Amino acid sequence: MRCALKDLKTLSYTISKKVKIGHTIYLKGDLGTGKTTLSKLIISEIFKKNKKRSPQVTSPTFNIVQYYPVKNKLIIAHYDLYRLKSKLDLENIGLFELEDKIINIIEWPELIKKKNTNRIEISLKHTKLKNERDIKIKYFGKTK
Amino acid sequence: MKKDLIFLGIETSCDETAAALVKKSKNGKVKILSNVVSSQEIVHKKFGGVVPELAARAHSEKIDLIIKEAIKKSKVSIHQIDGVACTAGPGLLICLMVGMTAGKTIASALKKPFFGTNHLEGHALTMGLIRPVKFPYLLLLISGGHSQFLSVEGVGKYKRLGTTIDDALGEAFDKTAKILGIEFPGGPKIETFAKFGNENSFDLPKPILHKSGCNMSYAGLKTAVLHASKNIKSKQDKYDLAASFQKTINEILKVKCAKAIEMFLEKHKKIKNKNFVVAGGVASNQSIRKTIKQVSSTLKFNTHFPPLNLCTDNAAMIAWAGLQNYEAGKKPNLKIISQPRWPLDQKAPFMKGAGLIL
């Protein structure tokens, strides 16, 4: 699917409706394809859905994970595994401790070998046009 | 009754495990007694080589060693400490917890006050470790994880004037470096590359340059660098792109710093001592220093840059922030839990972002 920046809003709305606690969203794609931009929109849609004001979402590259509490018992964890090198790092950051209790959004998920069962995989690719991306979405497990 | 105060600081919010002791004498003099960070050679030696960056995420493996080293180097006994300050956030929860547990344990065992401290407050007050700067002053924090303008009005009093709405400035540097084939985090190398390049070779965008106050956006710039990199063939092209990138950053900072100063003066109309402190790892870039100094002196501000070892993550700034909170009469907070998200200015307005219309 070809997607311009303005189409991302519709896309993030669709995804925010599908995703529930315990579900994970993988965001794959090169630098600058818009993974953080899309994460931002999804997080903001989830907040909107719960009638809450959306927080400021910034890139999690440095911190590796940022948590966004939506309401009691609903937290979004926004991960960026870009700087991680091994499976041990995944355990060190507690990626597997909370996975069934929160909504996970994971950028650069390639390091994860044992993939989450209930997940949405989104791949973003650059196209010849600067403002357009090629986006593929696959649903797995209960997200179907 | 005034007396000498010594604080132990602990910092484990991200990659660095760090501990430091800071002393404020009764005559007001401030001295860093020791300042140990895990990336230092002495620590690596004890581990038989360089500690891999993210294995350092297991702060727990070396926190005791680092604290011990800090106390040893300071030449004071642990019983002479008047309080313990520890980074309680923002940062990676699992990392914060290591430092917090160590800090709380020491404070409880010694029956000394404990201060869970904001990492950003540490950066905001750092300059005081070198020389006193009168409140209020304007602060620009530019590092791998943060980019923001703050009006520092006193201990515990911070107003955010602007922030990045997407990537941090250091991150833009690191990712540009990566695009140019330099291993992450290669931000500091951009400066070396830029020296050999022609800064006018590439025309790169300056997102939200003249709108949204002194808020900044760097994600789009990074993507533009990526697009530009598709056409580069030679080493010289790489130098040119690095130089053009750096020039673009400088042009953005020129405008945004002037805007931040304007906003700061709007808040403090009668201020006489006009000071602008620039902290964070990116402040080590000489061309950025030059730009900021220029803008600042044109607008009659004195610019202050803390030395590099205090710009990057360290525990001396945490000890110092804790010490000042103690002096300001703030209550110790042994019960505070780690705060992965903890903005300095809780009331700061929310920004939309990432290339969307503001």
Side-chain angles (χ1 to χ4, degrees), chain B residues 14-288:
Chain B
C14 202
D15 296 339
E16 289 285 13
T17 316
L21 273 86
V22 168
K23 176 179 171 179
K24 186 175 181 187
S25 309
K26 50 188 168 212
N27 62 14
K29 255 195 167 170
V30 182
K31 198 179 172 206
I32 300 171
L33 301 177
S34 63
N35 190 13
V36 183
V37 293
S38 56
S39 58
Q40 280 172 346
E41 210 176 324
I42 180 144
V43 182
H44 290 164
K45 269 186 191 153
K46 291 200 172 163
F47 268 84
V50 177
V51 187
E53 191 208 351
L54 271 156
R57 210 149 279 298
H59 292 283
S60 49
E61 286 175 15
K62 50 188 176 359
I63 183 82
D64 50 342
L65 178 96
I66 304 259
I67 295 174
K68 231 185 209 166
E69 188 69 32
I71 292 169
K72 200 175 118 196
K73 273 194 167 173
S74 72
K75 299 201 173 64
V76 299
S77 131
I78 193 165
H79 298 283
Q80 286 171 269
I81 291 168
D82 297 288
V84 181
C86 180
T87 307
L92 196 52
L93 181 65
I94 203 151
C95 295
L96 293 166
M97 277 161 60
V98 176
M100 289 281 277
T101 311
K104 285 179 177 178
T105 310
I106 294 172
S108 311
L110 296 172
K111 297 198 173 60
K112 298 291 179 189
F114 174 86
F115 289 88
T117 306
N118 187 310
H119 178 82
L120 300 172
E121 179 171 36
H123 280 300
L125 301 174
T126 304
M127 204 56 220
L129 282 167
I130 307 302
R131 56 176 175 268
V133 183
K134 226 178 153 191
F135 297 122
Y137 55 81
L138 176 63
L139 175 88
L140 169 62
L141 173 61
I142 34 177
S143 66
H146 307 279
S147 298
Q148 43 187 277
F149 287 104
L150 291 161
S151 165
V152 180
E153 308 184 343
V155 176
K157 290 190 195 116
Y158 313 94
K159 286 269 149 35
R160 197 180 74 192
L161 303 176
T163 175
T164 175
I165 55 169
D166 38 54
D167 297 4
L169 183 52
E171 186 182 340
F173 266 87
D174 286 336
K175 287 188 172 166
T176 295
K178 177 87 181 179
I179 293 166
L180 296 176
I182 308 165
E183 197 48 37
F184 197 88
K189 289 221 176 96
I190 292 285
E191 194 174 5
T192 327
F193 269 45
K195 279 193 186 120
F196 304 108
N198 173 1
E199 59 178 25
N200 298 315
S201 322
F202 293 88
D203 193 19
L204 299 167
K206 303 179 196 90
I208 66 167
L209 187 65
H210 292 294
K211 53 182 175 183
S212 192
C214 61
N215 290 307
M216 300 161 276
S217 165
Y218 296 109
L221 176 57
K222 163 196 76 192
T223 309
V225 169
L226 183 86
H227 286 296
S229 75
K230 299 258 156 78
N231 301 318
I232 59 176
K233 290 173 187 82
S234 64
K235 190 103 189 167
Q236 187 58 45
D237 289 345
K238 281 190 182 179
Y239 294 151
D240 290 348
L241 185 52
S244 305
F245 167 77
Q246 190 171 280
K247 181 194 160 203
T248 310
I249 294 287
N250 275 308
E251 283 174 347
I252 295 172
L253 284 176
K254 210 161 145 185
V255 174
K256 293 299 179 183
C257 287
K259 184 72 198 170
I261 286 177
E262 185 192 317
M263 288 170 76
F264 178 78
L265 289 176
E266 190 62 36
K267 279 179 102 56
H268 307 285
K269 287 196 174 100
K270 286 178 185 155
I271 192 169
K272 283 200 184 98
N273 286 310
K274 296 171 184 169
N275 290 301
F276 187 6
V277 177
V278 186
V282 185
S284 67
N285 181 302
Q286 292 301 325
S287 79
I288 287 182

Side-chain angles (χ1 to χ4, degrees), chain A residues 31-32 37 40 54-56 58-59 61-65 67-68 82-85 89 92-93 126 133, chain B residues 14-15 53-54 57 92 94 144-145 160 163 165-167 171 175 178-179 184 223 226 341 350-351 354:
Chain A
L31 274 179
T37 307
K40 210 170 190 169
S54 173
Q56 195 150 334
T58 49
S59 165
T61 302
F62 187 75
N63 265 345
I64 296 168
V65 54
Y67 298 101
Y68 299 95
Y82 184 68
R83 304 199 296 134
L84 270 54
K85 294 187 184 80
D89 287 337
N92 269 340
I93 61 162
H126 286 289
R133 302 288 184 265
Chain B
C14 202
D15 296 339
E53 191 208 351
L54 271 156
R57 210 149 279 298
L92 196 52
I94 203 151
R160 197 180 74 192
T163 175
I165 55 169
D166 38 54
D167 297 4
E171 186 182 340
K175 287 188 172 166
K178 177 87 181 179
I179 293 166
F184 197 88
T223 309
L226 183 86
R341 258 184 97 73
F350 150 70
M351 298 295 144

